[in-house]
Amino acid sequence: MSNFDNLFENYSDIQKHITTLCESGGNIEPELYKKFDVKRGLRDSNGKGVLTGLTEISDVSGFKEENGERIPIPGELYFQGYDVREMVKGFGESSHGFEETIFLLLFGELPTKQELEDFMKILGELRPLPENFNRDVIMKAPSRNIMNVLERCVLTLYSYDDNPDDISVAHVLEQSLSLIARFPVIAAYGYQSYRHKFMDSSLIIHRPKAELSTAENILRLLRPDPTFTSLEAQVLDVCLVLHAEHGGGNNSSFTTHVISTTGTDTYSTVAGSLGSLKGPRHGGANLKVQQMMADLKENVKDLESDAQIKSYLTKVLKKEAFDGRGLIYGMGHAIYTISDPRAEILKEYARKLSEAEGYTKEFELYDRVEKIAKDLITKNRAVMKPVCANVDFYSGFVYSVLKIPVELFTPMFAIARIAGWSAHRIEELSNNGKIIRPAYKYVGSHREYTHIDER
């Protein structure tokens, strides 16, 4: 019995209202949404997002328009006009492509060598947390959910800012850089405190190194032995790049815009963005992929048999296997159709990493499931557009090979996406837009008020 039930169990009249509320759930008749042409999820009936803003930060495309018809195309993703595929190629074996990406998203241009060197020094100087912050804020109230740690720490950092409510672009940029630099440290320390408190593990705290990149510092902070290979750092760096930004319409970036238009402070805005990403329908998909794959391994005897895998995935679609929701996680995307460029890029790095770390068979299983799932979803759902693997299909696999714990899968997303949120917040403030306030239509009934003695 929950605390809520305990609180009301002796009050039968109130319990009656609670029961009614739980049973009805305040349900609104589905046909009313059609009657009033409500854009549920801010989407048209064909699934296309309702246009609510303009941005120069990134371009996400999976269709082209011809004669009023939407035609699927291979997915495209551009950061400030640059094709992310070309960017990743240009980074080569570097492990600081994420820092270049942050610079690009915030300032609109790729950095020169000297600018990147200076920028990395700035992030290195900003990375350490305030004195005793880990002890007083993170370790004193450990949480099983590291996203909760990030939210709480972001709001607490408001108190360490001498002018937290200053929303001038220059000050917001300073605040944003500080949060971008500190997110990996907060997440790592939050995880180490969680292990110490709830799993009775030794408390291991490494200090970040100013000369290391974000990816390198993450691996250093998480591992008992703070060592890593150049390939591990490179692959994690690519993950961060691919998750750094994805247009202004995704839920957490749109949340950033919505909250920013109120004129509130940066810490409140970012906490709201984190709350959005924390939801499993947004930031937790890669973990669901991992859970689904674990369930597949338990229920499929021969993992090299396409027929057995197809049988399992068919049951998943029919809501007869895994979590009963009828979804093959990691497959399909709201915008991408033929392909998700992030998934294609990450798949190749996943292949390299699996070969180097001895996970070739595991990678081949993911590849097999991807191919079978594409065909199954198209045939079983009679979808009108192609279905592709999205970035979440391979990101969880990569994190697992890098020995990043599942508790940090969604926080890793946040560590990357804070770059995009910051760029969108600055763009919103720079354009001085109106407060975002869409309409909701009342469909209840009006009633006469009765005095309490007459009820």
Side-chain angles (χ1 to χ4, degrees):
M1 185 176 288
S2 68
N3 290 333
F4 187 83
D5 290 331
N6 286 328
L7 179 63
F8 291 111
E9 65 178 339
N10 295 322
Y11 299 91
S12 58
D13 286 345
I14 293 180
Q15 192 68 45
K16 179 176 62 179
H17 288 293
I18 293 171
T19 301
T20 302
L21 181 62
C22 290
E23 289 176 351
S24 68
N27 291 333
I28 294 173
E29 296 297 329
E31 60 266 21
L32 290 178
Y33 290 97
K34 292 182 179 179
K35 177 181 178 181
F36 296 109
D37 192 26
V38 176
K39 313 295 185 184
R40 298 200 77 182
L42 288 182
R43 295 195 167 277
D44 289 326
S45 57
N46 62 3
K48 184 179 180 181
V50 175
L51 186 62
T52 59
L54 304 174
T55 184
E56 293 182 338
I57 295 169
S58 66
D59 185 17
V60 184
S61 178
F63 294 90
K64 66 178 180 179
E65 300 277 350
E66 281 191 6
N67 301 318
E69 184 181 353
R70 300 178 79 207
I71 300 173
I73 61 171
E76 298 176 345
L77 175 60
Y78 292 83
F79 291 167
Q80 295 283 11
Y82 292 97
D83 189 333
V84 74
R85 295 176 187 273
E86 297 302 316
M87 288 175 58
V88 172
K89 282 182 187 175
F91 297 151
E93 296 183 1
S94 164
S95 61
H96 49 246
F98 181 53
E99 281 72 23
E100 286 197 52
T101 301
I102 298 169
F103 190 99
L104 172 64
L105 291 174
L106 293 178
F107 300 110
E109 298 292 343
L110 288 166
T112 63
K113 284 187 177 180
Q114 187 60 53
E115 286 174 334
L116 179 61
E117 184 179 324
D118 293 342
F119 187 62
M120 290 189 67
K121 286 180 180 178
I122 291 171
L123 291 177
E125 291 175 5
L126 291 172
R127 214 176 290 283
L129 298 175
E131 187 176 0
N132 297 326
F133 190 91
N134 185 27
R135 182 196 69 189
D136 296 340
V137 180
I138 300 176
M139 292 179 62
K140 280 194 174 179
S143 174
R144 288 181 171 86
N145 192 301
I146 311 306
M147 290 295 286
N148 171 264
V149 175
L150 281 167
E151 290 177 87
R152 184 160 39 85
C153 288
V154 165
L155 289 173
T156 304
L157 285 169
Y158 176 100
S159 302
Y160 290 78
D161 189 329
D162 292 334
N163 197 6
D165 292 305
D166 180 356
I167 60 171
S168 64
V169 170
H171 192 65
V172 169
L173 177 61
E174 181 182 335
Q175 293 170 325
S176 298
L177 289 173
S178 176
L179 291 174
I180 290 168
R182 287 169 167 172
F183 260 36
V185 184
I186 294 170
Y189 288 176
Y191 174 72
Q192 301 293 10
S193 296
Y194 153 77
R195 280 181 52 83
H196 180 60
K197 170 73 174 179
F198 299 106
M199 300 177 69
D200 198 27
S201 298
S202 298
L203 182 63
I204 300 172
I205 300 294
H206 299 305
R207 290 187 177 90
K209 286 192 172 183
E211 67 271 21
L212 296 182
S213 70
T214 302
E216 292 169 331
N217 265 306
I218 290 170
L219 295 173
R220 168 182 168 76
L221 293 169
L222 287 177
R223 297 179 172 183
D225 175 5
T227 59
F228 48 86
T229 67
S230 58
L231 177 61
E232 287 177 324
Q234 180 194 0
V235 173
L236 181 55
D237 182 72
V238 169
C239 283
L240 296 175
V241 170
L242 297 177
H243 282 94
E245 163 59 11
H246 207 242
N250 70 80
N251 196 285
S252 56
S253 294
F254 185 60
T255 298
T256 303
H257 278 280
V258 171
I259 300 178
S260 293
T261 64
T262 70
T264 194
D265 65 279
T266 297
Y267 304 97
S268 296
T269 302
V270 173
S273 305
L274 283 164
S276 165
L277 190 68
K278 182 175 179 288
R281 295 171 72 179
H282 185 11
N286 53 15
L287 180 55
K288 293 294 287 187
V289 173
Q290 291 294 97
Q291 293 168 346
M292 180 187 72
M293 293 297 285
D295 188 71
L296 181 149
K297 291 175 190 175
E298 289 182 6
N299 291 279
V300 174
K301 291 182 179 180
D302 183 359
L303 296 177
E304 295 185 3
S305 167
D306 286 1
Q308 289 187 29
I309 292 173
K310 182 177 181 180
S311 175
Y312 171 83
L313 294 176
T314 300
K315 290 179 181 177
V316 170
L317 288 174
K318 291 181 177 179
K319 302 182 180 181
E320 297 172 356
F322 189 41
D323 62 1
R325 293 197 62 202
L327 300 173
I328 298 178
Y329 291 94
M331 299 300 300
H333 191 270
I335 298 175
Y336 298 126
T337 52
I338 294 174
S339 61
D340 179 341
R342 303 168 302 168
E344 292 188 325
I345 293 168
L346 191 55
K347 182 176 181 178
E348 289 312 304
Y349 281 90
R351 189 192 306 275
K352 290 181 187 177
L353 186 65
S354 67
E355 291 171 354
E357 302 286 342
Y359 287 85
T360 304
K361 287 288 185 183
E362 183 79 0
F363 174 82
E364 289 173 352
L365 175 61
Y366 274 76
D367 186 39
R368 186 175 288 111
V369 169
E370 177 194 356
K371 290 173 182 175
I372 295 171
K374 279 183 183 179
D375 184 58
L376 267 182
I377 293 172
T378 303
K379 289 180 178 177
N380 282 266
R381 294 289 168 82
V383 291
M384 302 304 293
K385 65 176 184 178
V387 177
C388 64
N390 59 53
V391 70
D392 293 311
F393 190 80
Y394 286 101
S395 62
F397 168 73
V398 167
Y399 293 153
S400 294
V401 176
L402 291 173
K403 296 179 175 57
I404 291 172
V406 295
E407 292 87 353
L408 284 171
F409 280 16
T410 306
M412 289 297 300
F413 197 157
I415 288 168
R417 189 55 61 86
I418 177 64
W421 293 339
S422 298
H424 281 285
R425 173 163 169 76
I426 290 170
E427 184 177 60
E428 185 65 54
L429 294 173
S430 298
N431 285 283
N432 195 30
K434 291 184 177 182
I435 184 171
I436 294 175
R437 190 202 180 285
Y440 265 66
K441 183 173 181 61
Y442 178 71
V443 292
S445 57
H446 295 174
R447 296 182 285 179
E448 292 291 330
Y449 173 81
T450 55
H451 191 272
I452 192 167
D453 294 334
E454 299 172 2
R455 295 176 208 159

